[in-house]
Amino acid sequence: MKTDRTAIAARRFSRRTLLRAAAVSAALPAVAHAQKATKITVWTWGGTERFQRRVDAFKRLFPDVAARIEVDVVSPGKQDGEVYQAFRLALASGNNVPDMVQMNYIGMPEFAEAGVLGDLGGMMKPYAGDLVDGARQLAAYNGTTIAIPYQMKGKVWFYRKDLFEQAGIDPAAVRTFDDYMVAGRRFHEKHPKSYIMNIGRTPIHYWYFMILSNWPETRVADRDGKFRILADAHFATLIDWLKTWRGSGIAFDTDDFSPAWQPAFADSSICGSPISNWMTDFLPKFAPEQGGRWGITLWPEFNRRGSEAGGGVMTIPEQSRNKEAAFEFASRMFLTASGSVDEWERTGNPTVLRSAQQEMLDRNASMTRPAGLTDAQWTVMPNNYFGRDFLRPILDSFDQFNVFPYDPAALAELDIMRRETEAYIGGSKTREQALQAMAASMTAQIGNPYKT
Amino acid sequence: MRLRRRARALQPWLFVAPFLLAFAGLFLGPAGYAFWLSFTRYRGFGVARWVGLDNYRFVLGYDAFWEMLGNTLFYWVAHAVPMMALALLLAVLVQRQAIGWTRSFKTLVFLPQMLASVATALLFQNIFGTHYGLVDRVLGFDTPWLTDPALSRWTVVFVLIWRGTGYWFIVFLAGLTTIPPEVDEAAAIDGATGWQRLVRITLPLLRPTMLFAVLVDAIVTLRLFNEPNVLLGKAGTLAPASAAPLLNLVVEQMHSGQFGAAAATGWLLFVLIAALTFAMFRVMRERAAA
């Protein structure tokens, strides 16, 4: 009996051992495979949720590549400035430098000039020919390719078609600054509680370079560090326009993203907004019941060229240990037709690729209400809200795209410009005083922006 | 014997050592580094270039620095005087049982203090919002409470008083309970009026509490940041320069990679707070001696 039990136990043991060994052998390739996956860290702002959807799309669209590249998304803060701050600290400590950093173009020159961003010229070469011109501008700083563009922020004018028509205003006929002022007055006369635009006492930061980027030769400082605030008349033009719009009665007295901004769209106090294409994401949510009444066109000719802070880019730090993997992720998502069109469907960012534009337009034209969408969600979908042709003017704005030549101290310069412009708008300084103070403060505070 | 004496002498230091180490590592060290940084041009990475007193000269010559300093001092004085007076008045009324329902009253007065400062500022942003705020809608005004430079700072002062009164009310009430009631009773028997007892007896005996209150409130207010920026700022931007406190300059400089200038501004703020604190101590002590 004892011998039989021992024999049975021994057989069972052998069987179990064999089964375990077989299971381990089967798992080994998977383990080895998983061990080969390269983990890259990406920094973004405003939480990780939005970027995580991008990562999920990456896994869905490119499963083979996703098996090799694992993406870890980190959000150091709510705004892009906090990402730049965290990036500076990481560079200073040498620890936790990410493999990829999302930036707005305005924040990039500081790091590009310092040489901490990787040169992507070689890796971008196969894709460069398919980029629209504006995207090629976004990818480069001072002649070197150092970024993967993913979002172009062109200038488009949102306007209430119905109310403009009632006031007898054709946006296409508004060409000069004076035409714009006349249109604004006429609109307000016809609709006394409504305005053609909004601007308050403290214009939001993007107004400045949206307007200045219209003039390709305008820059804040020369390469030798000389500030051009007094030498270039466009800075005077900029602050004059901001003050005139506010004081002329054609603008609703509130600034973008102030508490009154959203309700002012909802109750039709604001019936126009010369701004950027990302507004397609906000306006439907501000005034969902106004679907079908808003049109999109280019800015008036007198300031049609340019962009809003350039646009969004992905950069790869020089210290990154996984540059190739990081580039492969970004290039798949933004520089391939399937990735970039999917990006547009998810985020509203139009593709930066020439070859994918038609596919994007075709998909938009044939888009029906996605299954499972509630009425409220469908109402605010841009192609439902603005109409199926809403992408055309946005793509047209890319033909007018120009990236302002930001320098490494762009953020500090913007703070100074805003401060003095607010003093001018508020009446505590004359135009000359404000411009002099701008120039003096930049010289004293910044010195040569190209030297630290 | 000597060893035992030495050991005994060292004992208190052992108890205090954890605090001293933490203080040195978490405060003195970073403060010293910031002090050295204030003499350099440093963008947060790369090389810190020695520039001597340049950062201090730039900051002191910057009109925005003086404007923001003026705003900070305005917030301090404009809110501290009425707030302390109100808190003291309420504490005296409660202590003298002039208000019947004291438990509920104390809770009500202290309630604003229980809200976070950011939540409070957001709440009042909706109340005082231009065009669509509660005040404008209910009263039919269209007053730019938050955008007009002449009004926006007073709105911040209002919020500071609303939120801060409860805290100092409790502090003054606690201070009043340390005053022996016999002193007040004796004065009452001698024919002193309520006002005379308050001015001649209560307030002088309450001086240490008041000194504490004024000093702490001054230090906190001179480092003000949340209320003006949440109330008057927009999404992603700080309050305008016409209403910005001095700490905004430090934050702006750090965000634009001017760490040396930010450190210099921070140290100037420290010197200002230290100087004011010292001056207030002297004044209060001289008055006590007199």
Side-chain angles (χ1 to χ4, degrees), chain A residues 4-18:
Chain A
D4 286 342
R5 274 195 200 144
T6 308
I8 291 166
R11 277 201 297 274
R12 277 187 189 156
F13 175 75
S14 302
R15 234 179 272 147
R16 275 191 215 133
T17 311
L18 270 172

Side-chain angles (χ1 to χ4, degrees), chain B residues 90-170:
Chain B
L90 292 174
V92 167
L93 288 174
V94 167
Q95 191 239 6
R96 292 191 181 179
Q97 295 173 348
I99 295 166
W101 31 284
T102 50
R103 261 195 206 158
S104 313
F105 184 77
K106 281 185 213 173
T107 309
L108 273 173
V109 172
F110 192 71
L111 210 55
Q113 185 62 210
M114 290 163 69
L115 290 175
S117 59
V118 171
T120 305
L122 284 172
L123 179 70
F124 278 96
Q125 197 187 55
N126 280 291
I127 291 173
F128 285 111
T130 310
H131 306 300
Y132 302 98
L134 186 64
V135 170
D136 278 0
R137 292 245 170 176
V138 167
L139 300 178
F141 296 153
D142 197 19
T143 311
W145 302 103
L146 303 181
T147 52
D148 186 319
L151 289 173
S152 56
R153 295 196 309 177
W154 286 107
T155 313
V156 175
V157 167
F158 178 84
V159 172
L160 292 173
I161 293 171
W162 181 85
R163 191 164 175 272
T165 301
Y167 181 81
W168 297 115
F169 159 73
I170 296 294

Side-chain angles (χ1 to χ4, degrees), chain B residues 201-242:
Chain B
I201 293 167
T202 307
L203 287 184
L205 289 174
L206 200 58
R207 185 165 278 125
T209 308
M210 284 168 62
L211 174 64
F212 165 77
V214 169
L215 272 176
V216 171
D217 185 68
I219 291 169
V220 168
T221 311
L222 290 171
R223 297 180 310 160
L224 187 67
F225 185 79
N226 286 352
E227 282 87 350
N229 287 296
V230 176
L231 196 58
L232 307 178
K234 299 179 279 289
T237 60
L238 299 176
S242 56

Side-chain angles (χ1 to χ4, degrees), chain A residues 130-152:
Chain A
D130 195 23
L131 290 174
V132 300
D133 289 342
R136 243 182 269 133
Q137 286 184 52
L138 285 177
Y141 173 76
N142 204 26
T144 306
T145 304
I146 48 161
I148 303 116
Y150 74 88
Q151 180 191 36
M152 288 172 66

